[in-house]
Amino acid sequence: MFFIPRNVSPQDKLQAVIEYLTGKGSQESIAKKYDVNHKSLSAWINNYKAFGETAFNRTGRNKNYSLEFKNTVVQSYLSGEGSF
């Protein structure tokens, strides 16, 4: 069985993440509610934790990150937080 991803609005992504983080359901139940794979919801949660609400803003271009932010990400990875 193949999963066909659907486009989810930034507002719905944020709402789904907030529902999960406030304990209104499991990743599986919230993913089902928004008709997405639970791995997609997990990625949204990780992006939200890393970038806040701006994680869901669509700019249509590559993002440029500050040296400070890049160093923070590398240090977090080296300390065992997250994954490659």
Side-chain angles (χ1 to χ4, degrees), residues 22-54:
T22 58
K24 294 184 179 169
S26 66
Q27 284 190 21
E28 291 79 16
S29 67
I30 293 171
K32 189 172 187 175
K33 175 181 175 181
Y34 287 89
D35 193 28
V36 296
N37 186 302
H38 72 85
K39 290 181 182 180
S40 295
L41 177 60
S42 181
W44 299 347
I45 293 165
N46 290 334
N47 286 338
Y48 178 82
K49 288 178 178 179
F51 305 109
E53 290 185 20
T54 62

Side-chain angles (χ1 to χ4, degrees), residues 16-80:
V17 169
I18 290 171
E19 286 178 25
Y20 173 73
L21 293 176
T22 58
K24 294 184 179 169
S26 66
Q27 284 190 21
E28 291 79 16
S29 67
I30 293 171
K32 189 172 187 175
K33 175 181 175 181
Y34 287 89
D35 193 28
V36 296
N37 186 302
H38 72 85
K39 290 181 182 180
S40 295
L41 177 60
S42 181
W44 299 347
I45 293 165
N46 290 334
N47 286 338
Y48 178 82
K49 288 178 178 179
F51 305 109
E53 290 185 20
T54 62
F56 308 118
N57 295 345
R58 294 182 183 162
T59 62
R61 60 187 172 105
N62 291 337
K63 295 179 181 172
N64 294 316
Y65 300 108
S66 69
L67 182 60
E68 179 184 9
F69 177 76
K70 290 176 185 179
N71 284 330
T72 300
V73 171
V74 169
Q75 291 305 315
S76 295
Y77 172 73
L78 292 175
S79 68

